[in-house]
Amino acid sequence: MSGYYVGQYAPVRGPLAGMAEHFAEVLWDRGYSARTVDSHMRMLRDLSGWLDDREIALSAVDDHVVETYVSQRRARTRTLRSLRGMATLLGVLRDEGLVPSPSPKVVAEGSPTWVLAEFEEYLRQVRGLSDATVASYCSQVRPLVWSLAEGTWASLTTEGVRAFIDERAAGRPARSVQVRINALRALLRWLWSERLISAPLHEQVLSMYAPSGPPLPRGLSTSEVTALYAALSSAPAARLRDTALVALMLRLGLRAGEATSLTLEDLHWRTGTVTVTGKRGRIDEVPLPVDVGKTLVAYLREGRPVGTGHRQVFLSIDAPHFPIKPTAVTTLVGHAMRKAGIAGPGAAHRLRHSAAMGVIAAGGGLVEAGQLLRHSSVSATAIYARADIAGLAVLTRPWPGEKR
């Protein structure tokens, strides 16, 4: 590695000269391509020369210096010209103690940023909501929070809350409006508990009636499942990973977040089980079917990046090989569905519906489907009864005079 670096790159002048080879080794160890390594090394050389010309020591590289460099670099080049582009280099320098850590941002209590951060923590720690629901609730109430940036929370009234709902309800589906109402009610309840508002406004926010009820769960047919697998990425490593992901969600009914949170320690090969951490921190040990286990073994042996230090099962294929996020799973499944010509709403969660409906189609009941999905109550599984038309037909009585 060292010989490759010395022969390939021009000498580095300035305070980062002694870090050049170490930085190159870090990039190679993380699996970056030769082209990406070259780009980052050019940035290191440029930054070191820039600091040298201005006689700025590494210990003085604070947020202001970094922002100034990025601003000037943006005018000179088209690559790695943002704070995000510098994150890898700055991270290595900070890990080595050469550059000070970024200054902590002071957030004033009661400010919009503070309110959103505290509300998010409340949803996550007290309410025990999933990451996806927390993100959705915060997104729904963000406009209201920021609208009060120049005022005080005491100025919020029932009329203001209703106006916020009405302004954003026009043209929206009933279920979408109801989600916003749920999020707003949760925010107002938290604000009241923290005494940031002078009245329990959450009691004035009523639920909205959605005549159509919750949508019927839509699973995939056998032919659609075959087409979905065929539409996954053709790149060998990505295909192995994505096949294992889809198999887990189709056969075990895992949510995208549950699949991405799996660690190597959660796979128990001797007992043939998987430990799944679900909503509100619920932990279940579920059986691992042989065919699903084979897809996991193939991925772990031939597709999963090595030497990353991460214990999560599913990692990004491209460097740096970080654990993938639930949104990435939703994106890749949605892309595969469109490529396979599978119509209808939903993506990753539709695989979970398919798992439950497969149980019912095979003669199982709601209890069995609920056990597979690890629902905390039977009522959460009741929606699948509406999708089992054949089963419901047995319970119906014929109209007088009608022949069955």
Side-chain angles (χ1 to χ4, degrees), residues 353-364 372:
H353 288 324
S354 301
M357 296 181 69
V359 171
I360 295 175
L372 174 66

Side-chain angles (χ1 to χ4, degrees), residues 105-126:
K105 297 186 181 299
V106 178
V107 179
E109 182 173 345
S111 68
T113 301
W114 180 87
V115 167
L116 288 171
E118 293 295 314
F119 178 56
E120 178 181 345
E121 187 71 9
Y122 159 76
L123 294 176
R124 199 181 307 277
Q125 299 298 330
V126 179

Side-chain angles (χ1 to χ4, degrees), residues 108-165:
E109 182 173 345
S111 68
T113 301
W114 180 87
V115 167
L116 288 171
E118 293 295 314
F119 178 56
E120 178 181 345
E121 187 71 9
Y122 159 76
L123 294 176
R124 199 181 307 277
Q125 299 298 330
V126 179
R127 294 283 301 276
L129 301 183
S130 67
D131 291 342
T133 303
V134 171
S136 173
Y137 275 28
C138 290
S139 175
Q140 295 287 355
V141 303
R142 186 172 288 111
L144 175 64
V145 173
W146 280 102
S147 70
L148 298 170
E150 297 180 359
T152 63
W153 286 103
S155 66
L156 187 61
T157 63
T158 302
E159 290 72 21
V161 171
R162 290 175 178 171
F164 173 75
I165 296 174

